[in-house]
Amino acid sequence: MDSTFLSFYPSLQNDDSLVAKLQSLKLVVFDVDGVLTDGRLLYTDQGENIKCFNVKDGVAMKLLPKWGIQVAVITAKDSAPLRLRMKDTKSRSFLSRLP
């Protein structure tokens, strides 16, 4: 976490304990559907699955590694759109298989 980033969030600048906690992070794991996406599943006429990702999440996923924090995602459903998004953000993906 650097001072330039913190300057955008005055409430963080005045809370040393929160900043210390943030600086101790090593890994952030995001769920995909409904967290990194809006939860909708769109299908083309050919049956291709399309997901809508928020660009702001992608910015955070690219910034975190610059501060030494690894980023991973967890999902119950693997998809080509997800793999492409993870490649774009240089994030790891962990697939969770439900019983």
Side-chain angles (χ1 to χ4, degrees):
M1 205 75 40
D2 59 30
S3 58
T4 304
F5 173 80
L6 292 175
S7 69
F8 291 104
Y9 300 93
S11 61
L12 290 179
Q13 291 174 336
N14 300 325
D15 189 343
D16 292 336
S17 65
L18 179 58
V19 171
K21 287 177 186 176
L22 291 173
Q23 290 175 327
S24 70
L25 287 175
K26 301 292 181 220
L27 171 69
V28 175
V29 181
F30 297 95
D31 182 34
V32 176
D33 294 318
V35 176
L36 296 180
T37 72
D38 61 9
R40 293 182 297 160
L41 290 176
L42 307 174
Y43 293 92
T44 66
D45 290 341
Q46 294 77 29
E48 182 183 17
N49 182 310
I50 301 169
K51 294 186 179 206
C52 298
F53 292 92
N54 189 313
V55 71
K56 294 175 186 175
D57 294 330
V59 170
M61 293 169 80
K62 285 185 174 185
L63 282 175
L64 288 168
K66 292 182 179 188
W67 299 322
I69 302 168
Q70 293 184 30
V71 174
V73 299
I74 200 165
T75 185
K77 186 176 180 186
D78 189 13
S79 68
L82 171 61
R83 289 188 178 270
L84 182 58
R85 185 62 175 154
M86 295 306 95
K87 182 180 175 187
D88 287 347
T89 61
K90 297 179 176 53
S91 301
R92 295 181 181 182
S93 60
F94 296 106
L95 304 178
S96 172
R97 302 283 180 216
L98 297 177

